[in-house]
Amino acid sequence: MVGRRTVIIGAGVVGAAIADELSALGWTDIVVVDQGDFPATGGSTSHAPGVVFQANGSKAMTDLARYTVEKFVALEHQGESCFIQVGGLEVATTPERMAEVHRRHGWLTSWGVEAEVVDADRCVELHPLLDRDRILGGLHCPTDGLAKALAAVEAQIERAKSRGVRLLPRHEVTDITVEDGKVVGVVTNHGEIPADIVVCCAGIWGPKVAALAGVYLPLTPLAHQLAWTGTVPALAGQTEEAVRPVLRHQDADLYYRDRYDQLAVGYYGHRPMPIDAHDLLPVEEAEVMPSVLEFTPEDFEPAWEETNLLLPQTAEAKIEEGINGVFSFTTDGMPLLGESKDVSGFWVAEAVWVTHSAGVGRAMAEWLANGYCESFDLHECDVNRFEDFQLVPEYVLERDCQNFVEVYDILHPLQPMDSPRAIRTSPFYLRQQELDAFFLPATGWERPHWYDANKGLLEHYQVPQPNDWAARYWSPIAGAEAQATREGVAMYDMTALKRLMVTGSGATAFLQRLTTGNIDKSIGSVTYTLLLNADGGIRSDVTIARLGKNRYQVGANGALDTDWFERFLPQDGSVAVTDITPGTCCIGLWGPKAREVLSQLTDADLTNTGLKYFRAAEINVGNVPVTAMRLSYVGELGWELYTTADLGLRLWDTIWQAGQDHGIIAAGRGAFNSLRLEKGYRSFGTDMTFEHDPYEAGVGFAVKLDKGDFIGRDALLRRKENQTRTLACLTIDNPEDVVAGKEPVFAGDRAVGYVTSAAYGYTIGKGIAYAWLPLEVASPGTEVEIGYFGKRISAVVTAEPLFDPKMTRLRG
């Protein structure tokens, strides 16, 4: 046997994929257990309609779906492919949905999947049952289709078994043995199986199984209606299982697929029907299977009425059978993948639909075998991405149900959920409300995007109007705030940024090992640096301030950074990592007049020699003790001012009062994003992710190869010599043509890359879009086009930074 002893819980389409992919990498000491009979074990895979649409706003999810399609097309069971590639068709019945079709086509083009926007006549040609008068057009993706889920399970399990993997049906997991924080075995109704690794692929039972290991999974099983017609006369005599594209009518929360001379009708428009995983029936007690609940015809009535309008010939048929099939939802619509931070060796691959199953199998196999995933960027999927408040069951249930409701809705990138709101508020929240802030949430924090109190600034600053989509969740006040920051001084609430304190005698060596920069510098130094995976990909970018010999404050990006640090803590207790975010707050005081305001409030030397750029000092602001760091992500003179949460309101009031004679304003995230893009500052998770390395992302300056070894160093040296792409700055002349991100970039007729971040640059008077492009297209002066809702926007590659390239303002 090769590899660590591994038990995969769940023989559905995800468990089967992992067993196949992991054994293909050489691991053979693998046992797959399931409470049901193989291959229809009673979970969601057993009743899944198999409809696969690859279009997704997440590149990772599209990549996972594309791999699944490619694998299942080539995978055979009993001499037949496990995928029926009839294509996919999403139709629009409203102008708003037609615009969304163009946006979705942009996603597929960005991620390299063939697709086209088609008119109504072509839609009817592709799917003749459609009523031509009801539709405006659609999105056709020829590689979409139907996954034969149970056949794929059998085919993958058989391949895994041929490599030595054992399959144990009718083995119900009753406990997971954990010793000293690590899994050591899986207990079933037939005895215990020793294990070094346990992979939970239990689907809708995931929360129940994970709880046996002491792990909480933020997942809710919900019932979803699926019905089958009797014979549709227009389909009579059809001997092939499917010949028409799988069809989506998202305006009415519906999808359809052939089943010989019948149609399957899936419906999301009904009320959410959450189920507690612990209430699911045992296999032997379920009338059909545990994942199939009794059909509720009254919930389905609107779906059938709309079906008869969209597909008029279905009126000659009737619904003959239906189910309320249970499957998994999460709070952000993404899977739960990776190793638990609470129990070593306990891995999860949960909330995965058939659409992404083979891709997830590949990703998990690579992650298990190599310690990182080579083929996919999984930062959005990591099970440890959540903040503590996002793991409260009440929050999980509400958000999961809302995600069910919105599964087919047209959602703007900034659109928040209506509830729950105001979960986390900074100490400045009261003052921000008094200034009529417009808030949008970020990891639960209510974060001002602009302040209506600044409306008067519009008398002094010209702010162009963007297009309608870009103007949602936007105000011209944000543009005025950006310009006022450049000319005067502004206060920004930076409390939502994650802050960690790393302390102990081993802190310096610990940070040297985890980061690309040289942290072992004088007390008061501040270092912008990176965290890398073992393959040289960027895990995060962080700012580290050395506040004492063995005390460092880390400005991080989120819960995954905390998890990463904690995984590498030395066992001798010489390093402690503490999340200080809840107990602290931060004001960014920035602008050419920032020194004039702050110097009134402190005896500290704020001159260039007293507190240099990228230095930190403990000072008093009025009577508030503050950690002041001289850095600025808006590209202006100023400081990040940190204090404890109890003193936050006092700090705000002190600075606000002192700034009145200098025209101080409070400014929001809208201005911040514009200013940071003018300065060319990257945002992790948007501009660069796990799949990118520092050199191609334009942050190679943060890598100090001469400092000694660090995680990812060897791989980075190899990648440095093989650069093929880069993150490039594009500018757009027309002020209406503000894009949002994820749009395709074209060189001639060829799609060559995609946009990451975008905003209007109010200082430079141009639109800004950062985009991943091949090196041969990324030279300054190169003209390209951005695909935006079906039209092409002219743009030009421009040298960066666009503002203050000599850094005179920051260092002034």
Side-chain angles (χ1 to χ4, degrees):
M1 290 292 194
V2 179
R4 302 173 72 187
R5 297 176 301 176
T6 302
V7 176
I8 298 172
I9 301 174
V13 73
V14 179
I18 295 174
D20 179 31
E21 297 282 351
L22 191 55
S23 61
L25 292 180
W27 283 32
T28 55
D29 195 351
I30 301 171
V31 179
V32 183
V33 301
D34 200 292
Q35 63 181 338
D37 288 315
F38 176 76
T41 60
S44 301
T45 299
S46 303
H47 66 74
V51 174
V52 173
F53 290 90
Q54 296 166 84
N56 197 294
S58 163
K59 181 176 183 295
M61 295 297 275
T62 297
D63 287 344
L64 292 167
R66 176 170 46 201
Y67 181 89
T68 301
V69 168
E70 292 171 353
K71 180 176 181 179
F72 284 3
V73 166
L75 188 66
E76 290 191 353
H77 175 63
Q78 296 180 350
E80 294 186 359
S81 170
C82 292
F83 196 83
I84 308 174
Q85 203 156 41
V86 290
L89 179 64
E90 302 181 15
V91 294
T93 59
T94 64
E96 294 79 12
R97 182 64 65 177
M98 196 64 210
E100 175 73 354
V101 160
H102 282 287
R103 185 167 74 122
R104 295 173 68 80
H105 176 248
W107 292 342
L108 286 170
T109 305
S110 290
W111 316 145
V113 178
E114 178 189 355
E116 62 177 338
V117 175
V118 295
D119 63 16
D121 290 335
R122 177 60 174 153
C123 288
V124 175
E125 184 181 338
L126 289 164
H127 204 297
L129 296 186
L130 286 165
D131 181 352
R132 165 66 179 77
D133 295 333
R134 289 275 297 170
I135 55 177
L136 303 178
L139 173 62
H140 178 229
C141 180
T143 54
D144 288 344
L146 290 166
K148 299 167 74 170
L150 290 179
V153 168
E154 287 201 77
Q156 292 178 102
I157 284 292
E158 288 305 314
R159 296 204 312 193
K161 286 170 65 177
S162 72
R163 303 184 190 113
V165 174
R166 290 188 297 147
L167 177 68
L168 301 179
R170 287 284 175 176
H171 278 60
E172 181 181 358
V173 175
T174 58
D175 200 5
I176 296 172
T177 308
V178 178
E179 295 179 1
D180 297 324
K182 177 174 173 41
V183 294
V184 295
V186 173
V187 181
T188 77
N189 54 342
H190 294 283
E192 183 167 1
I193 306 167
D196 304 307
I197 299 288
V198 173
V199 187
C200 180
C201 309
I204 55 178
W205 288 277
K208 180 179 179 180
V209 171
L212 297 175
V215 173
Y216 174 73
L217 275 189
L219 175 160
T220 303
L222 282 116
H224 154 62
Q225 291 199 300
L226 180 66
W228 292 269
T229 69
T231 297
V232 178
L235 306 183
Q238 180 175 317
T239 57
E240 294 181 64
E241 181 178 349
V243 297
R244 292 161 196 79
V246 289
L247 179 68
R248 275 209 282 213
H249 176 27
Q250 292 179 296
D251 283 321
D253 298 305
L254 287 161
Y255 66 83
Y256 306 90
R257 59 153 292 181
D258 289 11
R259 190 175 75 168
Y260 300 101
D261 60 356
Q262 306 169 327
L263 283 181
V265 184
Y267 185 45
Y268 288 102
H270 55 79
R271 61 194 168 89
M273 305 176 187
I275 309 293
D276 190 311
H278 294 81
D279 293 337
L280 292 164
L281 291 175
V283 172
E284 62 274 6
E285 294 182 18
E287 184 174 344
V288 181
M289 62 182 76
S291 62
V292 170
L293 306 182
E294 185 178 356
F295 188 60
T296 50
E298 63 277 10
D299 290 303
F300 196 74
E301 287 177 5
W304 186 236
E305 291 174 7
E306 182 62 29
T307 296
N308 294 162
L309 294 173
L310 183 73
L311 310 171
Q313 295 178 76
T314 61
E316 302 176 39
K318 62 180 180 178
I319 296 297
E320 290 200 347
E321 56 181 315
I323 63 170
N324 287 3
V326 185
F327 65 132
S328 304
F329 271 78
T330 61
T331 59
D332 57 6
M334 301 297 286
L336 306 176
L337 309 179
E339 185 182 18
S340 166
K341 64 183 177 61
D342 300 315
V343 179
S344 177
F346 186 81
W347 291 68
V348 300
E350 293 288 355
V352 180
W353 296 3
V354 172
T355 299
H356 311 102
S357 59
V360 166
R362 179 68 179 175
M364 293 295 293
E366 291 179 352
W367 201 349
L368 283 161
N370 304 324
Y372 59 88
C373 177
E374 181 179 0
S375 300
F376 308 97
D377 164 31
L378 299 180
H379 83 275
E380 297 173 290
C381 308
D382 195 306
V383 69
N384 300 304
R385 65 188 179 268
F386 302 104
E387 298 290 331
D388 288 346
F389 79 92
Q390 294 170 316
L391 299 174
V392 174
E394 183 179 354
Y395 174 91
V396 171
L397 177 61
E398 182 173 0
R399 287 294 296 262
D400 290 355
C401 288
Q402 188 62 30
N403 272 327
F404 178 90
V405 170
E406 294 181 348
V407 70
Y408 279 173
D409 286 3
I410 299 170
L411 300 176
H412 190 275
L414 293 177
Q415 184 171 332
M417 288 212 172
D418 294 332
S419 176
R421 288 291 299 272
I423 298 174
R424 306 169 92 183
T425 57
S426 80
F428 322 131
Y429 186 59
L430 177 63
R431 296 292 182 260
Q432 292 164 345
Q433 289 178 306
E434 292 169 353
L435 294 171
D436 292 326
F438 178 83
F439 295 97
L440 289 174
T443 57
W445 292 98
E446 292 295 331
R447 191 163 63 177
H449 273 242
W450 67 82
Y451 295 84
D452 279 345
N454 291 329
K455 192 175 296 183
L457 293 174
L458 295 173
E459 299 175 8
H460 306 285
Y461 298 107
Q462 293 277 356
V463 179
Q465 179 77 17
N467 59 77
D468 290 346
W469 184 254
R472 297 188 186 186
Y473 305 99
W474 174 87
S475 167
I477 296 171
E481 291 174 358
Q483 295 175 74
T485 302
R486 291 275 189 243
E487 294 184 5
V489 59
M491 299 167 60
Y492 288 80
D493 182 359
M494 304 301 291
T495 302
L497 298 180
K498 173 74 74 176
R499 291 174 293 284
L500 307 175
M501 192 66 74
V502 180
T503 57
S505 60
T508 302
F510 172 76
L511 291 172
Q512 288 285 79
R513 171 67 176 150
L514 263 64
T515 69
T516 62
N518 182 21
I519 310 302
D520 192 5
K521 297 186 289 192
S522 62
I523 294 172
S525 64
V526 182
T527 305
Y528 174 80
T529 186
L530 307 169
L531 310 178
L532 302 183
N533 268 323
D535 66 343
I538 301 170
R539 280 199 64 91
S540 187
D541 62 340
V542 298
T543 302
I544 301 180
R546 189 171 197 175
L547 303 180
K549 180 181 179 182
N550 299 316
R551 184 165 65 96
Y552 296 86
Q553 182 171 316
V554 179
N557 280 300
L560 286 183
D561 293 345
T562 311
D563 174 56
W564 188 250
F565 278 17
E566 290 176 343
R567 287 182 184 275
F568 290 94
L569 283 173
Q571 296 189 358
D572 62 5
S574 61
V575 181
V577 175
T578 307
D579 184 353
I580 63 170
T581 313
T584 55
C585 57
C586 178
I587 293 173
L589 181 68
W590 295 317
K593 297 182 180 179
R595 183 178 282 121
E596 296 174 36
V597 173
L598 194 58
S599 62
Q600 300 175 73
L601 301 171
T602 183
D603 294 331
D605 184 354
L606 300 179
T607 64
N608 281 326
T609 55
L611 187 54
K612 297 178 181 179
Y613 182 56
F614 259 73
R615 297 287 297 178
E618 308 281 1
I619 68 173
N620 295 320
V621 176
N623 54 12
V624 179
V626 163
T627 299
M629 299 186 195
R630 190 172 164 196
L631 48 141
S632 163
Y633 285 92
V634 302
E636 293 290 340
L637 170 69
W639 295 265
E640 291 181 358
L641 304 171
Y642 297 88
T643 193
T644 52
D646 58 325
L647 296 172
L649 187 59
R650 183 58 171 258
L651 178 63
W652 178 284
D653 289 344
T654 300
I655 297 171
W656 182 258
Q657 186 61 42
Q660 292 308 299
D661 293 339
H662 303 278
I664 198 168
I665 65 165
R669 193 70 183 179
F672 178 92
N673 197 47
S674 170
L675 296 171
R676 77 142 180 113
L677 286 176
E678 288 184 332
K679 195 59 184 163
Y681 291 139
R682 279 54 170 152
S683 173
F684 177 80
T686 304
D687 299 316
M688 54 191 187
T689 66
F690 289 7
E691 65 180 305
H692 306 116
D693 71 57
Y695 300 109
E696 60 190 8
V699 288
F701 64 87
V703 178
K704 307 302 179 187
L705 293 172
D706 59 353
K707 75 157 189 173
D709 195 23
F710 55 84
I711 294 171
R713 185 181 186 277
D714 292 343
L716 191 57
L717 287 172
R718 293 190 295 271
R719 292 176 68 149
K720 186 180 181 182
E721 304 305 319
N722 296 288
Q723 301 299 306
T724 60
R725 61 184 176 180
T726 189
L727 185 64
C729 177
L730 310 180
T731 54
I732 304 164
D733 287 337
N734 187 344
E736 292 185 5
D737 291 336
V738 177
V739 299
K742 303 183 179 181
E743 297 88 358
V745 179
F746 295 89
D749 293 331
R750 183 169 61 103
V752 294
Y754 59 91
V755 173
T756 57
S757 295
Y760 189 77
Y762 299 102
T763 311
I764 66 167
K766 292 179 183 288
I768 306 168
Y770 272 79
W772 281 101
L773 298 176
L775 290 176
E776 63 269 20
V777 183
S779 300
T782 303
E783 295 181 356
V784 295
E785 291 182 314
I786 300 172
Y788 188 68
F789 286 95
K791 71 174 186 176
R792 296 286 185 90
I793 292 173
S794 297
V796 61
V797 180
T798 307
E800 57 168 339
L802 300 170
F803 178 78
D804 189 26
K806 295 184 179 180
M807 304 282 282
T808 55
R809 311 232 342 170
L810 279 166
R811 299 178 185 276

